[in-house]
């Protein structure tokens, strides 16, 4: 029996297998393993291969760098991306492994390799429109002003855009020649090829009043004819041609409920030029909407076609879990694996109906499994986290539901403290996810386990606005931020206090990030029942958020239901800053300095106002980090963040 508790620093022990790919002959499975190098506090990822005939497992790349995005050619060669030269470049190696040969030499780096055939490889690079791949302009040796002419001029992922965009190139391996395949204003991404056809996602510059748009285009590589098949009506992604090239499947929606619209599966017939939504009557989210803090290196999978071009497999989100479904081109959809787990990766053998899944549970980070969907048999392939887990106390959550005042069911989990004594009461921390249109799930969450090891019960639920519970439910909080969603959370707290007698109702804490940070700010401005709060990458003022966030204009309009300046009073009414006088709860504010999604001025305003009023508040700024600090930020700062959260609750709860 072990008594070792999980610590913040155990983040360094977690290994994440992801992005599995099956070789064309089905004999090998390549995947990435991502982890943290303890001595340098940096991330690394390497390619590993399983030989299905011998069950042998080999590591194919080495060194303190990142190797990822493996892609098999039809002849069995393996392309991948590596930053071993200093910037991410495409490499190729033989099917049996060996030294990789560098293929690209872009000063800006490349990504997303995709084979056209054995001699041609597609890749993306992020370049200004007037730069060439072969001879990009030299970076200036002195500071230059940033000229801004577009609404979207910065990105939480990429920083200041400076005229750059994702551009799609083709490399001829025999000659080394490259040429750009798409000429468009805006980004060209996510390519798929079949018999002289190129499908890709086109994201044009934001048009005032319309918000985000991303379309699926099909280009004839011989004639150059380019067709927009989705017509500028919505947000679409991940196109994949069927093996016979007659159909193109992709995800997306037409913004019927703006950012709260369920993602659906679409099918375009290239012969008849008809577009059909296959899951239009299906009240579930097509894809993975689960949130986790322990999936560094994970890749959201495309639709997986079968060899006969009559069906496909995909991941589906439903009621706190993600599972695998099979669908046909006629619109038949049925589950083939639905368990209380988080399937974050999927690769299918096209003709034999078996696949490789990345699966996480609340008590285990991701591992790879091979599943036969004809028999239901599943076999664990990797045991990367087994040794660490065997020596560690893990808390398993218990699912529960509470009924909201208007009858909706609020689904969630209560995680007990890792160590409990009979008859003793324990403090409880309410966790609130971001999005808001995401979902807590049956997945491993390191932050929850760290707090549980400190003696806290953890309550995490999916209030209205969360995915996984149907279109009506996910749309309920739009225009009502701080209304019934706040009541849902308080209802869940009340239900937990009633159902779990070991919870000390006088020792409650609350925390959350992004939308969860907004809601944390809102809660402490509307009730004093929590003894301490930690707000992370939060929103405090919708009036300024409108103009400073990289999604501010359309997100504020879609989610809160107001614009500037016409709806200024409505935006102010929904701003936690308005209620700062009512905040008496000790509040820790955590924010990243290069967060362009929820810019740090949101934290600065809240901190200065509370400090000026003599409130119990503390502000921690994380340098050089963006909105993704808790998931992919600098490892040392991720640990500092976790330690700051536990220290604040230990002091005040």
């Amino acid at each position: 029996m072990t008594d070792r508790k999980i610590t913040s620093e155990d983040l360094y022990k977690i290994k994440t297998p992801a992005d599995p790919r099956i070789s064309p002959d089905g004999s090998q499975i390549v995947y990435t393993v991502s982890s943290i190098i303890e001595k340098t506090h940096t991330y690394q990822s390497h390619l590993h291969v399983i030989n299905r005939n011998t069950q042998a497992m080999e590591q194919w790349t080495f060194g303190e760098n990142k190797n990822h995005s493996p892609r098999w050619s039809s002849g069995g060669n393996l392309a991948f991306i590596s930053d071993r030269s200093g910037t991410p470049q495409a490499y190729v190696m033989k099917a049996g492994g060996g030294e990789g040969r560098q293929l690209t030499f872009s000063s800006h780096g490349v990504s997303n390799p995709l084979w056209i055939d054995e001699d041609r490889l597609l890749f993306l690079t992020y370049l200004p429109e007037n730069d060439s791949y072969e001879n990009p302009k030299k970076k200036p040796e002195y500071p230059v002003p940033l000229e801004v002419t577009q609404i979207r001029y910065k990105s939480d992922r990429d920083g200041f855009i400076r005229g750059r965009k994702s551009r799609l190139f083709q490399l001829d391996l025999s000659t080394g020649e490259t040429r750009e395949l798409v000429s468009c204003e805006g980004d060209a991404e996510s390519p798929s090829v079949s018999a002289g056809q190129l499908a890709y996602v086109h994201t044009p510059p934001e048009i005032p009043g319309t918000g985000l748009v991303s379309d699926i285009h099909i280009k004839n590589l011989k004639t150059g004819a380019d067709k927009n098949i989705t017509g500028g009506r919505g947000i679409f992604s991940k196109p994949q041609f069927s093996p016979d090239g007659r159909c193109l499947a992709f995800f997306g929606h037409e913004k019927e409920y703006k950012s709260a619209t369920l993602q659906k599966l679409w099918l375009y017939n290239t012969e008849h030029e008809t577009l059909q939504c296959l899951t239009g009557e299906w009240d579930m989210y097509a894809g993975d909407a689960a949130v986790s803090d322990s999936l560094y290196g994970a890749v959201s999978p495309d639709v997986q076609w079968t060899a006969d071009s009559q069906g496909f497999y995909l991941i589906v989100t439903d009621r706190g879990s993600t599972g695998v479904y099979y669908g046909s081109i006629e619109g038949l959809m049925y589950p083939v694996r639905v368990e209380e787990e988080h399937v974050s990766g999927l690769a299918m053998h096209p003709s034999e109906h078996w696949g490789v899944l990345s699966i996480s549970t609340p008590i285990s980070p991701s591992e790879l499994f091979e599943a036969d969907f004809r028999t239901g048999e599943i076999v664990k392939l990797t045991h990367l986290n087994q040794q660490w887990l065997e020596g560690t106390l893990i808390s398993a959550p218990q699912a529960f539901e509470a009924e909201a005042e208007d009858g909706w069911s609020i689904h969630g989990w209560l995680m007990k403290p890792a160590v409990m004594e009979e008859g003793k009461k324990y403090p409880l921390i309410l966790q609130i996810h971001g999005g808001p249109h995401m979902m807590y799930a049956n997945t491993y969450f390191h932050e929850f386990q760290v707090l549980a090891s400190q003696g806290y019960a953890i309550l995490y639920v999916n209030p209205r606005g969360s995915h996984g519970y149907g279109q009506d439910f996910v749309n309920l909080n739009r225009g009502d931020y701080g209304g019934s969603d706040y009541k849902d959370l308080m209802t869940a707290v009340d239900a937990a206090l009633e159902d779990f007698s070991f919870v000390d109702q006088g020792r409650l804490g609350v925390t959350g990030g992004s939308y969860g940070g907004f809601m944390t700010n809102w809660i402490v401005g509307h009730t004093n029942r929590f003894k301490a709060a930690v707000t992370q990458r939060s929103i405090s003022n919708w009036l300024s958020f409108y103009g400073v966030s990289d999604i501010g204009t359309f997100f504020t309009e879609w989610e809160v239901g107001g614009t500037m300046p016409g709806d200024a009073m409505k935006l102010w009414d929904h701003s936690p800053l308005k209620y700062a006088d009512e905040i008496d709860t000790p509040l820790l504010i955590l924010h990243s300095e290069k967060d362009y999604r929820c810019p740090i001025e949101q934290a600065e305003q809240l901190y200065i106002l509370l400090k000026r009023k003599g409130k119990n508040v503390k502000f921690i700024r994380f340098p050089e980090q963006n909105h993704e600090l808790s998931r992919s930020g600098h490892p040392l700062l991720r640990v500092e963040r976790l330690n700051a959260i536990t220290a604040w609750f230990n002091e005040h709860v």
Side-chain angles (χ1 to χ4, degrees), residues 368-602:
L368 293 187
F369 295 77
E370 183 176 314
D372 188 327
F373 292 128
R374 295 164 299 187
T375 65
E377 181 182 4
I378 187 165
V379 177
K380 193 172 186 178
L381 297 176
T382 64
H383 302 81
L384 296 169
N385 298 292
Q386 180 174 319
Q387 184 176 359
W388 167 61
L389 290 174
E390 286 177 347
T392 306
L393 286 170
I394 298 288
S395 180
Q398 178 179 334
F400 86 108
E401 296 194 29
E403 184 176 331
E405 63 179 14
D406 56 0
W408 286 96
S409 178
I410 310 304
H411 175 230
W413 298 263
L414 192 290
M415 181 180 287
K416 296 179 180 180
V419 177
M420 297 181 65
E421 298 178 18
E422 186 71 28
K424 186 176 178 180
K425 296 279 190 176
Y426 292 89
L428 178 142
I429 307 297
L430 171 65
Q431 290 270 359
I432 311 169
H433 68 65
H437 311 306
M438 300 296 288
M439 177 188 75
Y440 276 140
N442 287 298
T443 192
Y444 180 82
F445 226 103
H446 190 62
E447 179 179 331
F448 298 174
Q449 293 291 346
V450 169
L451 287 167
S453 76
Q454 293 281 318
Y456 295 97
I458 313 301
L459 175 64
Y460 55 110
V461 300
N462 290 318
R464 66 191 64 204
S466 303
H467 272 308
Y469 306 89
Q471 181 61 81
D472 290 343
F473 189 81
V474 75
N475 191 53
L476 281 175
N477 75 327
R478 278 204 314 127
D480 189 36
Y481 273 39
S484 293
D485 49 0
Y486 163 64
K487 294 178 182 178
D488 286 351
L489 292 166
M490 295 303 99
T491 296
V493 171
D494 291 338
L497 295 178
E498 182 176 346
D499 291 352
F500 301 96
S501 59
F502 60 84
V503 174
D504 185 343
Q505 61 182 348
R507 300 174 65 200
L508 306 178
V510 59
T511 186
S514 197
Y515 165 80
F518 159 83
M519 189 55 69
T520 299
N521 297 340
W522 186 270
I523 285 172
V524 295
H526 288 78
T527 180
N528 290 324
R529 69 185 302 186
F530 294 92
K531 291 182 69 68
V534 181
T535 182
Q536 308 171 54
R537 58 186 186 277
S538 72
I539 298 168
S540 65
N541 184 355
W542 289 109
L543 289 95
S544 61
F545 180 87
Y546 186 89
V548 298
S549 169
D550 65 344
I551 60 171
T553 53
F554 68 83
F555 189 86
T556 308
E557 294 169 11
W558 290 355
E559 290 293 311
V560 188
T563 62
M564 284 289 290
D567 301 304
M569 289 310 301
K570 179 176 183 178
L571 298 183
W572 183 239
D573 287 342
H574 284 277
S575 296
L577 205 64
K578 176 180 178 180
Y579 310 97
D581 279 346
E582 308 304 318
I583 297 177
D584 294 316
T585 305
L587 180 64
L588 174 63
I589 302 173
L590 306 179
H591 219 107
S592 296
E593 293 187 345
K594 287 191 175 180
D595 187 335
Y596 293 151
R597 183 60 39 87
C598 298
I600 197 168
E601 60 87 29
Q602 294 285 307

Side-chain angles (χ1 to χ4, degrees), residues 289-296 342 360 366 438-441 443-446 628 630-631 638:
V291 294
S292 171
D293 64 353
S294 305
L295 283 174
Y296 180 82
H342 178 199
S360 172
S366 281
M438 300 296 288
M439 177 188 75
Y440 276 140
T443 192
Y444 180 82
F445 226 103
H446 190 62
E628 296 299 305
S630 65
R631 296 177 280 261
R638 290 178 68 186

Side-chain angles (χ1 to χ4, degrees), residues 22-28 72-76 349-350:
I22 302 169
S23 63
D25 64 3
S27 67
Q28 296 184 102
W72 296 105
S73 71
S74 58
H349 189 286

Side-chain angles (χ1 to χ4, degrees), residues 2 15 102 119 154 230 264 308 337 346 353 366 395 454 485 528 546 562 575 617:
T2 180
K15 296 180 180 179
Q102 187 171 343
D119 295 319
K154 60 183 177 180
T230 50
K264 306 175 184 70
D308 60 7
R337 181 173 176 82
L346 170 67
H353 297 277
S366 281
S395 180
Q454 293 281 318
D485 49 0
N528 290 324
Y546 186 89
S575 296
V617 61

